Amino acid sequence: INGAREDRAALGWYDVGLQLVKNDAGELGFKVRVGGGMGRTPTISPVLREFLPWNQLMNYLEAVIRVYNRYGRRDNSWKARIKILVKAEGQAYIDQVNEEFRQIVEDEGGPHTITQAEYDRVAANFREPDLDLSPANAEAETLELLRTAANEDRDFGRWLTSNVLPHRHPQLRAVMLSFKRLGYAPGDATAEQMEAAAELADRFSGGEARVTHEQNLLLPWVRRDQLPALYQAAKALGLAKPNIGLLTDMIACPGGDFCSLANARSLPIAEAITERYQDLDELWDLGQIDLHISGCINSCGHHHSGHIGILGVDKDGKEWYQITLGGSDGTTLSGPAIGGKVVGPSFTAAEVPDVIEALLATFRALRKPGELFIDALRRIGHEPFKQAANAARHPKADQEALAEQD
């Protein structure tokens, strides 16, 4: 479910994706997508309804599930997913859902229609925190203080640009705490760091923090004049790195270190790439790049939707990695949701960082001024990147890696 203008939940990649929208009359409703998914059959969900009134949501979902329950595959556990049914039936599935919805509303009286009273009851649990919105400094003075601090500390200026988001209230900002740093798996934290993050939420964000799709923490209620103090406190905890949206702000699953389903280890790959790209000047020069890592085809790291995706695969009991390029979550900056394409044979763990470096060197050589990686890739095409990736293979490293695994 996504309520923002920007798709922050990768809606096209899920069994059911719901985008809150308003129609021309200003009424609230949902754009409904059904039948997306990753795994062995990566699929982008089609739109079933451009606008569904909000109070009919549960009735419509009932219709979606009834049709799937009626026709979904029970003969093959690998195909027992709603995406398989939607892909196979296409418009016929959509027509069946809409007919089922009509029957639920007209013939059954819409038993799951959400009443205004029920909406109000639930909404009452989501009050805004009580915040002191009367800062000591006037707006012009606050802006001048931030400008001065940013000029004196380059990293703080970058943090304001990458980790601080606009807010509908002019005196507030939403702030990302980066849980992507050397020595930790992406998204991981110690108990002490979580306690400290909770204290930051109490001190700066009305006691509220949220986990993001990208495995970071968001403080949604930060006063603008308190940004310098929050930055210093977060920096002391190692949570203020200005790398949100950059290469090292990667998504990674636990992989073979923790998951019995994994074919390969994800975390050492993430660590090796993070270690190689510690220079903030270089990261900022490269610009926004979504890097996603999965330890197996179940795609828990969403490798299909990364600008660069890394997938762990098994070959004769050995760990290898496929590289995909050109995927997208569906954000405005990256364009519509789409699955990445594999760029050649699999690579050993030792080769993956060199392959990533070769891809980025190709991007640097061929990009236009100000062009993002994903835009350059779409303009140029995959072939130069594929050639660079394959050229990064080094037989000696292959032999050493295989000998070490043996």
Side-chain angles (χ1 to χ4, degrees):
I1 303 177
N2 184 63
R5 293 186 182 93
E6 178 82 10
D7 182 356
R8 296 176 181 170
L11 296 178
W13 285 104
Y14 287 90
D15 295 310
V16 178
L18 304 171
Q19 171 67 52
L20 277 159
V21 293
K22 288 185 177 180
N23 62 13
D24 293 340
E27 299 168 322
L28 187 66
F30 293 92
K31 176 188 284 188
V32 182
R33 310 181 66 115
V34 177
M38 295 194 175
R40 297 180 184 278
T41 312
T43 307
I44 306 300
S45 60
V47 176
L48 269 64
R49 292 286 286 253
E50 288 290 344
F51 183 84
L52 176 75
W54 65 267
N55 64 344
Q56 295 300 323
L57 177 61
M58 300 305 293
N59 286 324
Y60 198 81
L61 292 179
E62 175 78 6
V64 166
I65 298 303
R66 282 187 187 182
V67 176
Y68 168 58
N69 191 44
R70 188 178 302 146
Y71 298 109
R73 295 286 296 270
R74 287 185 167 85
D75 61 312
N76 187 328
S77 62
W78 296 106
K79 296 184 178 181
R81 285 286 302 274
I82 198 168
K83 66 179 181 181
I84 301 297
L85 177 63
V86 174
K87 188 173 183 178
E89 298 299 325
Q91 186 62 43
Y93 173 83
I94 298 174
D95 294 341
Q96 286 267 358
V97 169
N98 287 325
E99 173 57 22
E100 190 73 28
F101 174 63
R102 185 198 65 76
Q103 293 181 22
I104 290 173
V105 173
E106 297 181 6
D107 300 344
E108 301 176 24
H112 307 299
T113 302
I114 305 170
T115 65
Q116 186 64 47
E118 177 63 5
Y119 175 91
D120 293 340
R121 183 190 70 80
V122 175
N125 293 290
F126 295 89
R127 297 191 184 97
E128 294 184 9
D130 294 327
L131 301 171
D132 178 10
L133 295 180
S134 302
N137 301 322
E139 181 176 359
E141 187 178 354
T142 297
L143 291 174
E144 183 58 33
L145 287 172
L146 292 176
R147 274 194 292 266
T148 300
N151 290 333
E152 293 176 351
D153 185 341
R154 189 182 185 192
D155 284 349
F156 176 64
R158 284 172 164 170
W159 183 80
L160 287 177
T161 300
S162 68
N163 296 46
V164 179
L165 305 174
H167 201 286
R168 58 186 171 82
H169 194 292
Q171 290 178 261
L172 298 176
R173 295 292 183 268
V175 176
M176 291 281 195
L177 300 179
S178 176
F179 278 76
K180 312 297 173 56
R181 60 265 196 247
L182 195 62
Y184 294 89
D188 271 12
T190 64
E192 291 75 18
Q193 286 171 326
M194 290 303 291
E195 290 280 2
E199 291 177 5
L200 292 183
D202 285 339
R203 181 180 171 191
F204 295 105
S205 186
E208 185 173 340
R210 301 173 188 169
V211 180
T212 72
H213 173 74
E214 294 81 14
Q215 299 174 307
N216 294 307
L217 279 185
L218 177 75
L219 302 183
W221 306 100
V222 179
R223 260 179 29 191
R224 191 172 56 187
D225 64 314
Q226 292 184 332
L227 289 172
L230 171 58
Y231 172 74
Q232 293 298 333
K235 184 178 180 180
L237 297 171
L239 303 178
K241 190 166 185 177
N243 66 337
I244 299 298
L246 304 181
L247 180 71
T248 56
D249 185 24
M250 62 187 72
I251 296 175
C253 76
D257 289 298
F258 297 97
C259 179
S260 61
L261 298 177
N263 292 321
R265 301 172 70 200
S266 302
L267 302 186
I269 300 297
E271 179 75 3
I273 296 172
T274 300
E275 185 174 8
R276 186 168 296 198
Y277 291 93
Q278 281 295 293
D279 187 334
L280 279 172
D281 289 335
E282 183 177 16
L283 287 174
W284 276 70
D285 176 64
L286 289 169
Q288 186 196 39
I289 299 175
D290 291 340
L291 175 64
H292 301 173
I293 308 174
S294 295
C296 77
I297 197 62
N298 288 298
S299 314
C300 296
H302 289 199
H303 67 278
H304 291 299
S305 65
H307 299 164
I308 302 174
I310 302 174
L311 167 64
V313 295
D314 177 274
K315 286 188 177 182
D316 299 323
K318 310 298 182 183
E319 294 182 5
W320 294 79
Y321 298 86
Q322 286 182 349
I323 308 295
T324 58
L325 291 177
S328 171
D329 277 340
T331 61
T332 300
L333 202 58
S334 297
I338 190 172
K341 296 180 180 178
V342 178
V343 293
S346 302
F347 302 92
T348 66
E351 291 174 324
V352 171
D354 291 337
V355 171
I356 300 302
E357 188 168 327
L359 293 171
L360 298 179
T362 303
F363 163 58
R364 283 194 183 101
L366 300 177
R367 68 182 170 181
K368 294 180 178 179
E371 193 172 36
L372 295 176
F373 177 85
I374 188 64
D375 295 327
L377 176 67
R378 289 169 180 164
R379 175 179 60 83
I380 298 165
H382 281 59
E383 192 57 33
F385 295 91
K386 183 176 181 179
Q387 292 177 9
N390 291 331
R393 297 182 66 86
H394 34 93
K396 185 177 178 181
D398 288 358
Q399 295 167 6
E400 291 175 351
L402 289 174
E404 182 178 335
Q405 289 176 1
D406 286 339

